[in-house]
Amino acid sequence: MPESRPDPTRRTITWLVILCMVAAAGAAWWVFYKPKSETAVSAPAGQSRPGGRGAGPRGGAPGMGPGMMADTPVRVAPATTRSLDIILPALGTVTAYNTVTVRSRVDGELISVNFKEGQRVKAGDVLAQIDPRSYEVALAQAEGQQQQNQAQLANARRDLQRYQTLFKQDSIARQQLDTQAALVRQYEGTQKIDQAAVDNAKLQLSYTRVTAPIDGRLGLRKVDPGNLVSAGDTEGLVVITQTQPISVVFSIAETQLPEVLAQVRAGHTLKVQALDRSDEKVIATGELETIDNQIDTTTGTVKLKARFDNADEVLFPNQFVNVRLLVQTRNDATTIPTAAVQQGSAGPFVFLLRDDNTVEVRQVELGPINGDRVGVNKGLVPGDRVVIEGTDRLRTGTKVSVVNNDATIPATPGEALGAGSATRGSRNASGSKAP
């Protein structure tokens, strides 16, 4: 009888099953029986782990034995009473009160320019001269025509006087007297026309002297002497911009408008500061001049204009500036650092330090903000100490130690402050402070 042999396919499957079982056993051994690292081995009670960096039970500080837990280091600041300025920040643009493009009112050759670019001028100063000869000729012609008509008027008036005498003597007809009187009135009308022509010729001649219409600072010259200029030129000769005084236009939110209106209607003058682009240096100080008469519905803001004397001309037309509007100064306001304020679902709150070095959550009602200080309307009194650094590891009842020096508050719970901390506040199992 022939000898039976195992099926090759079944033998392969058997070996695969055995290999899978061995691999599973090895993985289970690695998970449950792998060697512990040196830093994870528990140190004997009352002794620190090698190197002083092992984490103690419950995240205690380095060098702490079982049952020991470090206090959370924080930095605190007291609530103080001080004067608090209510300041509204805004973005503004320096705007000139008047800007004039000086143009020629007559046609002619520009024969001289009597100004330097950038100089300050007064209203009435002669800036340029246009060739006046053709306008002098026109004036002479108008004056000659006027003299001719004046002679005719004088002769007609003498004839009228004679006719009136003859009419009284019943020597001429009434019609002849009326005709002469009408001729006199005609010449009188002609005389007015002639006078208007003379006045117009004088006016055109005066326009050949281009003068400054306002006080201000000149820009760059746009036309050189020798060029022909005309009244239709839109480019003009030069631009004059009034820089003293000057205004700054800025916008505030419509929600901030009521408190500004209340001060304005009470007759108070509101101080306005203009700062540079970095929002650090005050470059000019002025006062609020006016408020626009409507709110921009697309942005929900309203425009305001402030007036600056600008005696030193530090403000330049179209310059971008940061604006601070001082609305009001509140005396004896309770203030805390803005870093102490946290936001929660119930509104703003702070971590208040209690006498037993634990913290509690205190809801507060905030007032105006000025720089790094914020007013507190309700919730705190002067002298209360609030946490300003290390708040991310706190909750009600957390034991803390106050850091008074420049040591950095660690970002990781349980991490040491490092050398130099004045009040580490680590406690052992009996509750006494560690040296």
Side-chain angles (χ1 to χ4, degrees):
M1 185 175 185
E3 181 181 358
S4 63
R5 295 184 179 180
D7 187 357
T9 302
R10 181 177 300 177
R11 184 172 54 185
T12 301
I13 294 174
T14 302
W15 278 109
L16 289 176
V17 171
I18 293 173
L19 289 176
C20 290
M21 293 176 63
V22 172
W29 179 87
W30 176 258
V31 172
F32 294 103
Y33 300 102
K34 66 179 179 180
K36 304 292 184 181
S37 63
E38 182 180 358
T39 58
V41 177
S42 300
Q47 297 182 7
S48 62
R49 294 185 177 86
R53 291 294 294 171
R58 301 175 62 185
M64 300 179 62
M68 299 173 61
M69 183 175 67
D71 296 342
T72 302
V74 296
R75 205 182 307 278
V76 300
T80 59
T81 301
R82 63 173 63 182
S83 296
L84 185 65
D85 293 335
I86 301 176
I87 295 178
L88 301 181
L91 302 178
T93 303
V94 179
T95 305
Y97 279 101
N98 296 290
T99 299
V100 177
T101 299
V102 180
R103 298 185 177 93
S104 173
R105 295 189 178 186
V106 294
D107 300 343
E109 179 186 354
L110 183 64
I111 60 176
S112 66
V113 174
N114 305 327
F115 64 86
K116 293 182 179 180
E117 297 172 328
Q119 80 175 74
R120 293 196 58 82
V121 294
K122 298 288 186 180
D125 290 349
V126 178
L127 302 180
Q129 178 68 56
I130 297 174
D131 187 358
R133 290 174 296 179
S134 61
Y135 299 96
E136 292 172 345
V137 171
L139 175 59
Q141 182 179 2
E143 289 176 340
Q145 184 66 41
Q146 183 184 39
Q147 290 177 359
Q148 178 181 352
N149 292 333
Q150 283 177 343
Q152 293 177 346
L153 174 60
N155 184 61
R157 284 175 175 172
R158 286 192 296 268
D159 288 345
L160 178 61
Q161 290 177 354
R162 288 193 294 267
Y163 287 169
Q164 289 174 343
T165 300
L166 293 174
F167 179 75
K168 290 178 182 179
Q169 297 175 357
D170 199 19
S171 300
I172 60 174
R174 178 73 183 184
Q175 181 180 3
Q176 189 174 359
L177 176 63
D178 292 342
T179 301
Q180 186 62 30
L183 181 61
V184 170
R185 290 193 296 271
Q186 177 183 345
Y187 285 148
E188 289 176 345
T190 303
Q191 174 62 27
K192 290 184 178 181
I193 295 174
D194 293 341
Q195 184 62 48
V198 170
D199 292 342
N200 181 66
K202 290 181 178 179
L203 182 63
Q204 297 301 312
L205 179 61
S206 69
Y207 286 159
T208 61
R209 298 171 67 252
V210 182
T211 59
I214 62 171
D215 296 352
R217 185 173 178 271
L218 295 175
L220 302 180
R221 187 178 68 222
K222 299 183 178 181
V223 180
D224 297 326
N227 285 281
L228 294 176
V229 295
S230 68
D233 292 339
T234 58
E235 185 73 11
L237 306 178
V238 69
V239 176
I240 304 178
T241 303
Q242 181 180 346
T243 58
Q244 295 175 340
I246 205 165
S247 67
V248 173
V249 178
F250 59 98
S251 299
I252 61 173
E254 60 180 311
T255 55
Q256 300 170 329
L257 182 60
E259 55 184 332
V260 176
L261 285 176
Q263 297 297 317
V264 172
R265 290 169 179 170
H268 298 157
T269 300
L270 304 187
K271 180 180 177 182
V272 180
Q273 291 181 328
L275 294 87
D276 58 7
R277 279 184 173 268
S278 63
D279 202 18
E280 296 178 353
K281 180 182 178 182
V282 177
I283 56 179
T285 301
E287 61 184 36
L288 183 65
E289 183 177 42
T290 187
I291 302 175
D292 200 1
N293 60 354
Q294 59 184 349
I295 295 174
D296 188 343
T297 57
T298 59
T299 60
T301 60
V302 60
K303 290 183 178 180
L304 290 81
K305 179 185 285 188
R307 180 187 180 92
F308 295 81
D309 291 337
N310 201 31
D312 51 1
E313 291 192 283
V314 293
L315 296 178
F316 214 75
N318 298 330
Q319 177 184 358
F320 168 84
V321 292
N322 289 286
V323 176
R324 293 179 186 171
L325 172 62
L326 176 59
V327 180
Q328 184 183 6
T329 299
R330 291 186 182 177
N331 298 319
D332 301 328
T334 300
T335 67
I336 59 174
T338 54
V341 179
Q342 310 295 315
Q343 294 293 335
S345 58
F349 67 92
V350 297
F351 287 103
L352 178 66
L353 180 64
R354 296 186 289 209
D355 294 337
D356 60 352
N357 280 350
T358 61
V359 296
E360 67 170 281
V361 174
R362 178 71 60 86
Q363 299 294 142
V364 292
E365 179 183 310
L366 299 181
I369 299 176
N370 184 4
D372 59 352
R373 306 290 295 186
V374 58
V376 180
N377 297 333
K378 293 181 181 179
L380 295 176
V381 296
D384 286 344
R385 294 183 298 170
V386 294
V387 178
I388 61 173
E389 190 174 346
T391 56
D392 55 332
R393 301 180 298 279
L394 301 182
R395 59 183 178 181
T396 298
T398 301
K399 198 76 171 180
V400 298
S401 61
V402 179
V403 177
N404 295 320
N405 60 3
D406 294 334
T408 302
I409 303 297
T412 304
E415 185 179 347
L417 285 172
S421 299
T423 54
R424 295 183 59 165
S426 299
R427 299 178 182 270
N428 55 23
S430 63
S432 61
K433 286 189 176 180

